[in-house]
Amino acid sequence: MKIAFNQATTMKKSTLKADLELCERYGYDLIEIRLDKLRDYLIGHTVEELKEFFEHHRIKPYAFNALEFITFRDREEYTQIQNDLQFLCEVGEKINCKTVIAVPSFDIGDYTISEIKHETVRVLHELAQLAEPYGVRLALEFCGYPNCSVNTFAQAYDIVQEVNRDNVGIVLDCFHFYAMNSRIEDLQAADPSKIFVFHIDDCEDLPFGALRDHHRVWPGDGAIDLDQILRTLKEIGYCEMASVELFRPEYWEWDIEKTIKTAKEKTEKILSNYFELSRS
């Protein structure tokens, strides 16, 4: 199992350059690059410089975060999403980053479950077709909030199965899995090859439906039964990567190096109970 760092964990104060250097120092295998941090980096650097960094260091890019709110958009908004995907595909081709996370929309009004499924399937087909020539995969990330159009593992997995494309899969985020009470039985029945990204995190002990991103805490410090999730992943044969992703404002105020170091230590500790970890 490889350990990745998601830039949301240091989002407020850090940069792509700083995250890369510190993640390399602390032995991460992979990084998930935020779209906004990538754009900031390219103000003063080039894609070729980024490519060169990865060629000469252990850490490698794994995914881009994220195409946000891809469904139920007007023409101008959807064109921007397509343009963002084109940009990420072109950068990804150069730095060998072949996964893009796609987030469904929030606060869409009174659409039915079947209407949500139809729209999400349609959009994923269109975006996947755009990404396919670049060898890029799309990972649908359900979000465990009542106002997200796709908010459980089962709903997202059903959509991905309906799309039925090799380059469309799912993001399993422990926080989102827990926050809307997704069923472990659904994960037990899943094809591990359709789990493109695994986010590891934990959260405070709030009721289902009340949790929000700022309630996330370090893996192993919260209320989520991570042992059950990790044990299930091992049983179904998933062992590709785990990316630590937190949006906790408290941690954003920490020294960046302390945050990256702590994230690695906490993640390693809990993963090592179930998986052999990659070593430098």
Side-chain angles (χ1 to χ4, degrees):
M1 177 79 83
K2 294 183 177 181
I3 297 180
F5 183 78
N6 185 294
Q7 286 197 279
T9 311
T10 53
M11 185 163 62
K12 183 176 179 181
K13 293 184 176 181
S14 195
T15 64
L16 177 55
K17 184 175 185 294
D19 284 345
L20 282 170
E21 290 171 351
L22 287 168
C23 285
E24 175 74 12
R25 182 181 305 172
Y26 285 97
Y28 285 86
D29 304 289
L30 306 165
I31 190 166
E32 289 187 82
I33 300 173
R34 283 183 61 87
L35 175 57
D36 55 348
K37 296 293 186 183
L38 175 62
R39 291 197 190 280
D40 289 344
Y41 174 88
L42 292 176
I43 293 172
H45 302 274
T46 66
V47 176
E48 289 302 320
E49 288 177 82
L50 189 57
K51 176 185 177 182
E52 186 176 353
F53 178 91
F54 287 123
E55 287 176 346
H56 292 91
H57 292 83
R58 177 176 185 267
I59 193 168
K60 303 302 178 191
Y62 186 81
F64 293 114
N65 252 293
L67 296 179
E68 292 187 321
F69 320 135
I70 62 172
T71 47
F72 302 100
R73 305 301 293 268
D74 64 30
R75 180 174 303 219
E76 182 179 351
E77 293 168 336
Y78 187 59
T79 298
Q80 184 60 55
I81 289 168
Q82 291 174 308
N83 291 341
D84 287 344
L85 177 57
Q86 182 75 35
F87 166 70
L88 292 175
C89 286
E90 291 171 357
V91 174
E93 188 172 45
K94 293 179 180 177
I95 68 171
N96 195 30
C97 187
K98 296 296 188 178
T99 300
V100 175
I101 292 173
V103 179
S105 294
F106 288 61
D107 298 313
I108 60 169
D110 295 330
Y111 287 100
T112 66
I113 293 293
S114 60
E115 288 170 332
I116 292 168
K117 179 178 179 179
H118 181 269
E119 167 72 358
T120 312
V121 167
R122 180 189 69 79
V123 169
L124 285 172
H125 268 302
E126 291 183 1
L127 296 179
Q129 188 168 353
L130 190 158
E132 197 166 42
Y134 297 91
V136 168
R137 310 183 303 174
L138 295 180
L140 177 66
E141 181 166 21
F142 67 95
C143 296
Y145 309 136
N147 64 327
C148 184
S149 57
V150 182
N151 58 24
T152 67
F153 181 89
Q155 185 188 7
Y157 191 76
D158 179 56
I159 288 167
V160 166
Q161 285 187 305
E162 181 70 22
V163 174
N164 193 29
R165 298 180 74 116
D166 289 342
N167 69 330
V168 175
I170 196 169
V171 178
L172 169 61
D173 183 302
C174 296
F175 169 80
H176 290 310
F177 191 89
Y178 178 83
M180 279 294 287
N181 202 22
S182 288
R183 294 167 11 108
I184 198 67
E185 292 84 359
D186 294 320
L187 179 57
Q188 289 168 341
D191 177 355
S193 70
K194 300 307 288 183
I195 301 173
F196 286 0
V197 180
F198 173 49
H199 288 163
I200 190 164
D201 37 41
D202 215 325
C203 67
E204 298 175 35
D205 191 14
L206 274 69
F208 301 123
L211 287 156
R212 296 297 182 268
D213 275 333
H214 64 274
H215 296 124
R216 298 187 191 215
V217 297
W218 297 121
D221 287 1
I224 301 175
D225 189 348
L226 293 178
D227 287 307
Q228 184 184 56
I229 294 173
L230 293 171
R231 185 167 56 249
T232 300
L233 287 174
K234 186 175 179 66
E235 288 171 354
I236 67 173
Y238 180 88
C239 61
E240 185 172 355
M241 58 83 75
S243 182
V244 58
E245 183 194 46
L246 288 88
F247 290 82
R248 192 172 180 87
E250 175 190 349
Y251 301 159
W252 287 342
E253 297 299 330
W254 287 16
D255 175 78
I256 298 165
E257 183 169 0
K258 176 185 175 183
T259 303
I260 289 174
K261 180 176 184 289
T262 302
K264 180 70 160 26
E265 291 171 349
K266 293 281 189 178
T267 303
E268 273 188 333
K269 182 177 180 181
I270 194 159
L271 286 178
S272 62
N273 293 325
Y274 296 92
F275 299 97
E276 181 178 349
L277 302 182
S278 175
R279 301 293 181 187
S280 57

